[in-house]
């Protein structure tokens, strides 16, 4: 339990911990007021059952005299009103603490989901290739909500109810220690035994729910992500069945937990009723004092009425907490265990890394995270500023890997990335990346306007429309946008650009890479989805950048690389040949074979 509290505590920041303390202190105050409300019922019931107590009881007599009451009925009305206002005050305080409690829980949902999102965003690219992003969505949205409502709130509830229960117990203890101990220990024993008997199982079903929930999120994400293939292959039933199986498992664990957390309350009602019977018999038979019985029974009935939900609340909150321990563990791990994370900085905060002479990969050895087979071994590459180079090679030769290392998406296991002879370190990587415009093999488009997709990640009111159009013209998309789209650059592209053709999507990707007018342009099969004529037009436009930018192009269609200053031929992670297009066409059989097969 101590470990759990420490984990929860570590998920809160300084001001959140302070608020948590305020909440706990308010709960103690409410516990005190509550018990005063319960205690105030005793004199009232004593006077109802035996009006003579006003003169025989020292305290009641003092109040009666001090406030100058003239009849016992008036005094009774006064006591009744006192009880009423105590209850009113106590319930108003409870409502206020509930507000504090809800406020605390819901704003933790806000702050924790932000922190988790930021923690994921700041992870290196390698983190994402070993993750299923649907599960990350689910963690940010569903599991954080589960944490706040089913881990954090149960904690405050356990505390508030424990305080209430202890104060009620204290009150009963003052009135009749033996009976208080019997009641409290019998109720406590029932709850504690059920809890300890079932706690292991609770953790297991909690883990099963967490896993089943992760699986159903993954399946839903994959079904929609691959909807085209799913439709063509008629695989809807496969995904539907898989989703149903995991959804059923997750919900059946919820049912098991829900039932478990409520069952003892039914049993306890019987125990409580039996308790009242015992009290009546105890006072009638053992103490033989019928005059005292009514107020004490009223007190016990009222205390029981408060104590039972308090104990039941502690029990269900504790079992909820136990059931959701996997959620706490996962959030704790994802928010705190984050050694390679890079802080999220806005562009203005990142100084661009000066680039004047050359980019180098020096003696680089690299294997992908989770794999011990190196894709590149002692790999060297040097690219002079403002030259155009091409990377060619059979599929799987390592071209994209080389580019990903130049982009700083991965760090070499050995060797380094140098810019102007200086190693690019983690602190300067973001500054280096500001030099680069990158067109990947498959272009991601957000469900937004063309302009927002080209400027990508720039707030709409800060987009430089002149830069958007300039990039659109080089990417040969400008005429299409102006002539054929109803709202020009403000036309929405649909989710993942579904309203555009593959070639149009690719040209938007090129325009996006050029929007910032970067010093380095890296294109990985950037023109492969274009028809021959459009490809030629785009290649021509990019050619106008030759000598002004450093251009690195991966292409299977080798004619795209005709104007490159230097082409590197890669095979199994090594450079096996290099030269201009003419040189390689003349001297390399391998290059000629690639040329022929790519036409
Ligand atoms: N995330 C990954 N984890 C493990 N191995 C990977 C990963 N990505 C790529 N590889 C492996 O690295 C090797 C080089 O892949 P890379 O994508 O760099 O080749 P490529 O030359 O760009 O191929 P293509 O022309 O098909 O894009 C391949 O053998 C591939 O299986």
């Amino acid at each position: 339990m101590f470990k759990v509290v420490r984990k929860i505590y570590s998920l809160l920041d300084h001001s959140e911990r302070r608020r948590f303390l305020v909440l706990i202190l308010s709960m103690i105050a409410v516990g005190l007021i509550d018990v005063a409300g319960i205690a105030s019922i005793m004199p009232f019931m004593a006077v109802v059952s035996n009006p003579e107590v006003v003169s025989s009881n020292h305290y009641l007599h003092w109040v009666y005299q001090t406030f100058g009451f003239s009849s016992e009925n008036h005094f009774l009305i006064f006591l009744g009103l006192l009880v009423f206002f105590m209850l009113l005050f106590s319930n108003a305080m409870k409502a206020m603490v509930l507000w504090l409690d809800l406020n605390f829980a819901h704003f933790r949902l806000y702050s924790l989901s932000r922190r988790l999102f930021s923690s994921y965003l700041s992870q290196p690219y390698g983190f994402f290739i070993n993750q299923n992003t649907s599960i990350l969505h689910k963690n940010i949205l569903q599991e954080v909500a589960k944490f706040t409502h089913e881990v954090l709130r149960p904690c405050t509830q356990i505390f508030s109810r424990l305080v209430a229960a202890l104060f009620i117990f204290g009150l009963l203890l003052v009135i009749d220690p033996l009976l208080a101990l019997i009641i409290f220990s019998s109720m406590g024993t029932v709850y504690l035994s059920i809890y300890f008997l079932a706690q292991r199982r609770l953790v297991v079903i909690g883990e099963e729910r967490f896993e089943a929930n992760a699986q159903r999120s993954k399946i839903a994400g994959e079904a929609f992500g691959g909807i085209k293939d799913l439709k063509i292959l008629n695989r809807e039933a496969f995904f539907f069945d898989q989703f149903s199986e995991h959804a059923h498992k997750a919900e059946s664990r919820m049912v098991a937990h829900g039932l478990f957390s409520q069952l003892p309350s039914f049993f306890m009602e019987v125990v409580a009723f039996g308790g009242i019977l015992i009290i009546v018999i105890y006072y009638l038979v053992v103490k033989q004092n019928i005059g005292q019985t009514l107020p004490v029974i009223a007190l016990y009935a009222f205390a029981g009425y408060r104590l039972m939900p308090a104990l039941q609340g502690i029990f269900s909150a504790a079992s909820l907490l136990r059931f959701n321990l996997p959620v706490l563990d996962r959030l704790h791990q994802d928010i705190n265990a984050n050694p390679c994370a890079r802080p999220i900085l806005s562009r203005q905060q990142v100084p661009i890394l000066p680039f004047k002479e050359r980019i180098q990969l020096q003696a680089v050895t690299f294997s992908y995270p989770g794999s011990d087979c190196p894709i590149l071994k002692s790999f060297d590459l040097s690219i002079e500023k403002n030259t155009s180079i091409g990377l060619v090679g059979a599929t799987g030769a390592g071209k994209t890997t080389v580019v990903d290392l130049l982009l700083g998406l991965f760090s070499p296991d050995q060797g380094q990335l140098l810019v102007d002879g200086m190693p690019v370190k983690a602190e300067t990587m973001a500054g280096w990346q500001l030099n680069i415009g990158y067109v990947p093999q498959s272009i991601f488009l957000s469900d937004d306007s063309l302009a927002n997709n080209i400027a990508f990640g720039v707030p709409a009111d800060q987009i430089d429309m002149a830069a958007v159009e300039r990039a659109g013209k080089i990417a040969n998309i400008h005429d299409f946008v102006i002539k054929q789209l109803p709202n020009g650059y403000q036309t929405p592209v649909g989710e993942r650009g579904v309203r555009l053709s593959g070639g149009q999507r690719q040209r938007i990707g090129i325009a996006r890479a050029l929007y910032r007018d970067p010093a380095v342009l890296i294109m990985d099969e950037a023109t492969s989805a274009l028809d021959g004529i459009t490809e030629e037009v785009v290649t021509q436009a990019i050619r106008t950048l030759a000598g002004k930018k450093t251009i690195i192009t991966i292409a299977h269609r080798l004619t795209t690389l005709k104007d490159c200053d230097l082409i590197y031929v890669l095979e199994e992670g090594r450079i096996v040949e290099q030269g201009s297009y003419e040189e390689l066409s003349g001297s390399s059989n391998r290059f000629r074979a690639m040329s022929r097969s790519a036409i």
Side-chain angles (χ1 to χ4, degrees), residues 23-52:
L23 184 62
I24 284 174
L25 290 177
S26 328
M27 283 171 173
I28 296 177
V30 162
L32 271 171
I33 294 164
D34 200 32
V35 91
I38 296 170
S40 71
I41 206 161
M42 264 196 92
F44 176 73
M45 292 309 289
V47 177
V48 170
S49 61
N50 178 14
E52 277 168 20

